[in-house]
Amino acid sequence: MIVGLDVGGTHADVVLLGNAGVMNEVKVPTDPDDLFQTVLSALDQITADIDPHRIERMVMSTTLTTNAIIQRKLPAVGMIVAGGPGINPELYRTNEHYACIGGSIDHRGREVKPIEAAEVAAVREKFKAAGIRNVGVVTKFSTRNPAQELAIARHLEGAFDKIFLGHRISGNLSFPRRIVTTHLNAAVYPIHRQFFKAVQKTLLQKGWEVPIRILKADGGNTSFEASIDYPAQTIFSGPAASVMGSIAFGPENGEALVMDIGGTTTDMAVLINQVPLLDPLGVELGGHKTLIRALKTHSIGIGGDSAVRFEDGRLQVGPHRDGPALAHGGPTPTPTDALVIMGKTHRGDRDRAVQGFGTLAAAMGVSVESAAAEVFEHTCRLILAEADDMIARINRQPVYTVHEMQAGDKVAPTTILVLGGPAPLFAEKLESLSSCKVGVVPRWAVANAIGAALARTTCEVVLYADTEQQVAFAPEEDFQQTVERSFERQDARRMALDLLEGKAIERGANAEHLEMEITEDLEFNMVRGFATTGKNVRIRAQVKPGLIHDYDPVAGRLM
Amino acid sequence: MLKAKHKTGLVFFPAFDWAIDPTHPEREERLLYTQDQVVEEGLLDIEGLVEFKPELVTTADVERVHFCLPDPQAVMTESHFISAGGAATIGRAVMEGAVNKGFALVRPPGHHAMRVVHGARGFCNVNIEAIMIELLRQAYNVDRVAIVDTDCHHGDGTQDIYWHDPDTLFISIHQDGRTLYPGSGFPNELGGPNAIGTTLNIPLPPHTSEEGFLYAIEHAVLPILEDFKPQLIINSAGQDNHFSDPITNMNFTAHGYAELTRMLNADIAVLEGGYAIEGALPYVNLGIILAMAGMDYSHVQEPSYDPDRLRQSASVTTTIAKICQLVRAYWDQRGAIAREVRAKPGCHERSRQIFYDTDGIHETQDETLALCEDCGGALRIDSRSDRGRRLLAVHIPRKACPRCESKAREWFEQADTKQFNLVALQDRTTDTYTVRSG
Ligand SMILES: [Zn+2]
Ligand SMILES: [Zn+2]
């Protein structure tokens, strides 16, 4: 059996999955000031009558790190950054203790200007004096050559609890995003570590020796142990949980749009042949642009509890939420009240909703019933328009080869999958307003927790080889090898897949059912003068996001 | 968060799977390190820097500018449709106000492609700037356009296309044609008799440094632009003036390119040449993008930069001052020069040999122009290649007067199709391209 837990802003959803499907599901309110208690209470309830030895694992998605970042409650860390020529790295300052030092590496990983030991030592002493315990180190092009990050780390050794190196956090280019991501890792590290150590300890005290997995923003999970060094991967896992809970119901050959309709927001994502679409760059959270691998999601400020107003002759839905719906004791008309008035749901106080809709209907010059119908239809139209925008943006993404231009693959979903609290109430209307088939994800209210429970262990390897310099290098893996001049793309692919397999198993994947794929595969002849002097190879390999193998049939039984 | 002062559009199309041939300077690898630099610097995350996906131009867009033998598909690859399309995308974004300015970082380049196209010259098949400009004129009613070509090679293709157009000011700054391909671009090349002075050439001596380039911009280009009052300024932004370029002999720098970009303040830049793919292009392009966006580029410096080695000699400085003075004089006296040229008998005719170095084709052209005070003049080109192809090309300019229009139609209709593989009429007044074949 597997426990899936998704702690959201208002509720924590938890499910218990066995071979027969969902054996139990529980919803508990989230206490934002005590997530630890929320998690424990959810776990206690779901496992009340269960022999703990029958639980194989627990997969958790929490808002812990996300909230810390959004609410800017991050502990002080130190950042050391070396930029070299280009945009002034001071402009990327992430926090108070942020030092720009000399040193530079070019785009092929060649050292242009060395690191000065004395300069690093001076920063080290300043950070120590300020009581800094965790430090991030980032140099430009460290994913082409990590030598300067490693050199800086050597000069810091012993002076701090933990040092985070940019090249270990992502193999992708983007110096500013690497700075942001490294800073977030260093900053959420103590929060994440302390929280999950406490959860683990409490479970052990209860005699539960269950492996804990943590859901990541890319819709895959990772072992708790592996998450310690890369805690930022676990931010923004909420939307991923819902998407993973939907993928079994998307078309096997075709594209689907997933809409998680909540109280305050609606989150959207895209499935292609039951595989979620990833963001090519990384998560953007609270104004931070990161290199954290994530599903491509789009969140809009329209949900069941969005405040509805009529201004300048136009209906406005969201983006704010003033509280619950009128029918549930709230202050402002909402789409949920429209549904209550229309008789689509009998939960809540209809009289209160009708009364509260009076002013709105008067302003619109129609009856309360018509106003409700209009509000609901307008809300559905807004959601669909945002969905169209998201698809258009995906299709506008630039490509860099003639081949891709010619292929011109466009995303065109034919199915919409809705989940979240009011999902079934929206489905019919959405279908009547769009050209897509609209389906409600089974167990729509806890599909997010199911998604967390069934997500695979995922990871990615980026490999870069430069045969003129006779080096192959996978930055995140701390892997560097001398290669022959005859080394080529095929060798690089094999090397990347080997590294990926090892990494996936270490992070908890099932070795017998690893679905790996190459997602970037580029080879360039390097020509100097009129002779080929080497090859420049860039390979990216990943474990495809998806559901775990042994529970595939379980998803089938959820229908 | 970083913010661009001017909202700037970028089309980046490095054509990672296209080359003239594997070891040719115009090969897959050319923009690889530029892309690495652009991505590593995080340029596309800057607020106000917007990346667009290039569109594809159509054959109709190409035939608004060129006469291709036997047709556009035969002389273009998919990559040319995309690179011209990239320029067009930027042009539209600027015209529609989506961005204030834009840079098409695309390949293959185009400024050596002339009006008649039998094949590739100087790595170019079709003229991507001209295709963009004529598309913008058609779609947005743009009239006066200035093109400043800062590639190290003379932009002889663009010069040829706009030779007779008084509404397009073409200024090329390049390494002296006596020392570099294509061997043209001297100050006395001033445009055809109906458009004297709207073609200007500023040849610079080898080893010109930042100082010399910026002097020419300040003392020749900017005052002339000021006089001409274009609605759009296009920069053919070749990067082969860089001190490390393998096929030229200049001493320009990444910082200099950024400075030039700031001073010129073009609406649209289109990448042309530039073959120092590791030591120059990543830094030059970074500098140009930051300068267009109105951002700080003072930290942009190539690793091999050495100001002492790049200092300009006094004789180079003197030569440049003289050339700029000469070009200014030509511009100021263009009316008088035009009267003088037009008084010469036979001034409406010219015969030329054109060599397509990339494809090894020799072309012979006999050109006849209708002398006209009111428009660019009807144009008739009889073109023969050593591949045995013969074309009669007739061009009606955009703002043709009735006389020139009927003259051109007469040429077209009365041509003996037996003598030509192709007789074509490019009518810019109706935006049509009509063919009679033999
Ligand atoms: Zn050139
Ligand atoms: Zn005329």
Side-chain angles (χ1 to χ4, degrees), chain A residues 396-434:
Chain A
R396 277 202 304 267
Q397 243 152 44
V399 295
Y400 300 127
T401 61
V402 176
H403 172 77
E404 289 168 289
M405 270 301 274
Q406 278 172 322
D409 295 331
K410 289 231 188 293
V411 174
T414 52
T415 306
I416 295 175
L417 295 170
V418 287
L419 71 158
L425 306 175
F426 274 77
E428 194 188 334
K429 190 74 192 172
L430 288 171
E431 183 158 273
S432 77
L433 295 175
S434 99

Side-chain angles (χ1 to χ4, degrees), chain A residues 459-479:
Chain A
C459 54
E460 184 185 56
V461 165
V462 177
L463 186 102
Y464 171 81
D466 182 331
T467 68
E468 191 185 46
Q469 301 187 70
Q470 291 184 277
V471 64
F473 167 51
E476 291 169 75
E477 320 319 319
D478 198 16
F479 171 89

